[in-house]
Amino acid sequence: MKAAIAEASSFVGREQELVALDRLRGEGARLVTIVGASGAGKSRLASRWAARHAAADDGVPSVWVVDLAAAAAVDEVLDAIAAALEVELAPAARVDRALALLGSALAARGPALLVLDDFDRAVARAAGVVAALVARAPDATFLVTSREALGVEGEHRLEVSPLGLEEAAALFEARARAVGSGRALPAADRAAVLELVRRLDGLPLAVELAAGWAGALPPAVLTARLEQRLDLLRRAPRGEAPRHASLRGALDASWELLPEAERLVLARCAAFQGAFTLEAAEAVAAGGAIGPAAVAGLLRALRDRSLVAAAPAEPLDGELPRFALLESVRAYGAEKAVAAGEGEAAERRHAAYVVEAAEGLAAGARGRDGPRCRRKLAGLVDDLAAAYRVAATRDPGLAARAVLGAAPHFLNRGPLEAYAAALD
């Protein structure tokens, strides 16, 4: 019998991802892991795709969804799958015996679809359970959602990025109608909505939580208050997990799974306001037990866990790949840096590195390499502004260097009034 897949609200966007899942299944992929940041909508995408197959007469007679949010150990994963499949496991059954029973049950059900939702806590210990079931049930398809891939043989990885600007705006408007009067937002609010969802990185959970303020705060007012986003973007759980009820809860769920060294690097890198190179990260995130040589591996681990994103490399000179943080992750990391007593030191290292880099680019802007240097300097403006704010009260000399280092950018592009005020 087909399982019923209920969707509590309308589904917006993600057509490319749904097509990609269809393509992977058509190519014979039997294990697909949807990976992405906390709040990126992995569970909704998996549910949507599962609902299509549960409702379609396409040779998939059975769909089971297993919620693994609370499962971390192998036996907890096995028990959750057994409960979903209605398979009786003996108390304290051996792992190999439990796998044999579950594998036989799945194999007997033919081309089943098993959705293993929120596998995050179990990845380190129980990824092998999935690999074993894939091998034992040759007709079954497995769809996993997790912030990081399982890393087992035969796995296909589908990364879910934040929504594009138009899709994010459509999601905001749909949820705003649901909590409001049902009427569309005024046309005058359109530009404000676009700016709001841009500041929210197009992250579906953040967009939905922001839409919950519709009718109480106009989009422009909400945008102006995003410095408090971690406390502002929340709703009463009322039966749902905290990670789905608040932006802070979603980020807490990711943070709790990080080793201490990865926590430190993430917190220190929150000082960056824009994309940053590995060299920049080594200058800012190294310190204490974390040497510069360790930073690259820790950044890669954070990238694998969907907490650090890959940013485009500079096209002009083939610069090494850069990294970036979503605004919500940056705000969370900055908060954690302060709580750990790391914030001020990271800000000082960041300011020193950025000002020195800007001075080198400012000098180059006067030479034959001027266009490239000015373009790279433009990418540092937000970080220079942060460096100026930090240095203004702690190191006036560094603050003055920050302002003077930005001169080629502001004299070329403006606004001159703001720059003149900073010079004064």
Side-chain angles (χ1 to χ4, degrees):
M1 184 176 75
K2 293 186 179 183
I5 309 294
E7 293 186 283
S9 57
S10 61
F11 188 85
V12 178
R14 297 297 189 202
E15 283 305 316
Q16 289 186 345
E17 289 84 353
L18 291 167
V19 169
L21 287 170
D22 286 338
R23 175 180 55 77
L24 285 168
R25 180 169 175 266
E27 293 172 352
R30 296 186 47 239
L31 170 58
V32 178
T33 302
I34 301 173
V35 298
S38 294
K42 302 181 295 293
S43 295
R44 278 305 304 270
L45 175 61
S47 294
R48 180 65 166 182
W49 194 69
R52 283 186 174 186
H53 290 284
D57 183 18
D58 59 359
V60 182
S62 306
V63 177
W64 287 271
V65 178
V66 186
D67 183 356
L68 293 171
V74 169
D75 58 340
E76 292 170 335
V77 172
L78 292 171
D79 287 344
I81 295 174
L85 296 176
E86 298 181 340
V87 173
E88 192 79 30
L89 291 183
R94 289 172 55 90
V95 171
D96 54 355
R97 175 60 178 160
L99 283 171
L101 287 171
L102 293 175
S104 295
L106 271 172
R109 303 181 195 201
L113 172 62
L114 187 66
V115 179
L116 303 175
D117 189 31
D118 208 341
F119 208 86
D120 301 280
R121 297 181 65 215
V123 168
R125 299 183 183 91
V129 167
V130 183
L133 291 176
V134 171
R136 291 173 181 269
D139 294 325
T141 300
F142 297 78
L143 184 63
V144 180
T145 71
S146 175
R147 286 185 285 273
E148 60 180 307
L150 306 186
V152 300
E153 187 176 356
E155 179 184 32
H156 295 259
R157 183 174 179 269
L158 177 66
E159 184 170 0
V160 176
S161 301
L163 294 171
L165 205 57
E166 291 297 330
E167 283 190 343
L171 177 62
F172 179 89
E173 291 168 4
R175 298 297 181 263
R177 284 196 301 271
V179 301
S181 63
R183 294 192 298 270
L185 291 172
D189 283 344
R190 175 67 177 170
V193 169
L194 289 170
E195 176 61 13
L196 173 62
V197 299
R198 185 192 68 79
R199 290 285 311 279
L200 294 173
D201 302 301
L203 200 63
L205 176 62
V207 171
E208 292 200 0
L209 293 171
W213 285 94
L217 291 178
V221 174
L222 192 56
T223 302
R225 294 175 175 268
L226 285 185
E227 293 222 347
Q228 294 86 40
R229 69 179 68 204
L230 296 175
D231 295 316
L232 189 67
L233 300 181
R234 62 190 310 117
R235 59 179 171 240
R238 293 176 183 162
E240 64 183 341
R243 69 187 187 282
H244 292 153
S246 73
L247 188 57
R248 184 185 297 280
L251 292 166
D252 282 343
S254 290
W255 181 263
E256 289 164 5
L257 298 176
L258 296 181
E260 183 61 26
E262 291 177 30
R263 290 182 178 184
L264 275 174
V265 168
L266 182 63
R268 291 169 178 175
C269 285
F272 290 104
Q273 304 302 300
F276 53 92
T277 63
L278 176 58
E279 178 189 35
E282 289 169 342
V284 174
I290 300 174
V295 172
L298 293 168
L299 275 176
R300 178 180 177 180
L302 290 166
R303 171 75 181 94
D304 289 343
R305 299 182 197 275
S306 304
L307 283 164
V308 171
E314 283 286 347
L316 289 181
D317 56 1
E319 183 182 279
L320 290 174
R322 300 184 300 165
F323 303 92
L325 302 180
L326 297 177
E327 279 199 39
S328 299
V329 174
R330 183 183 303 119
Y332 185 87
E335 190 178 273
K336 290 296 185 182
V338 171
E342 291 280 340
E344 188 171 325
E347 287 177 346
R348 283 200 306 268
R349 290 194 296 268
H350 169 264
Y353 176 84
V354 169
V355 169
E356 186 174 344
E359 288 175 333
L361 293 170
R366 295 189 291 269
R368 295 176 57 187
D369 209 17
R372 183 185 69 87
C373 289
R374 284 192 292 272
R375 176 165 176 165
K376 291 174 73 69
L377 186 60
L380 274 182
V381 166
D382 288 342
D383 281 288
L384 268 175
Y388 173 78
R389 289 192 296 270
V390 166
T393 56
R394 303 174 190 169
D395 187 343
L398 187 63
R401 289 170 58 196
V403 176
L404 293 172
H409 172 79
F410 285 101
L411 293 178
N412 185 47
R413 299 190 183 185
L416 292 177
E417 295 82 359
Y419 186 64
L423 280 172
D424 288 342

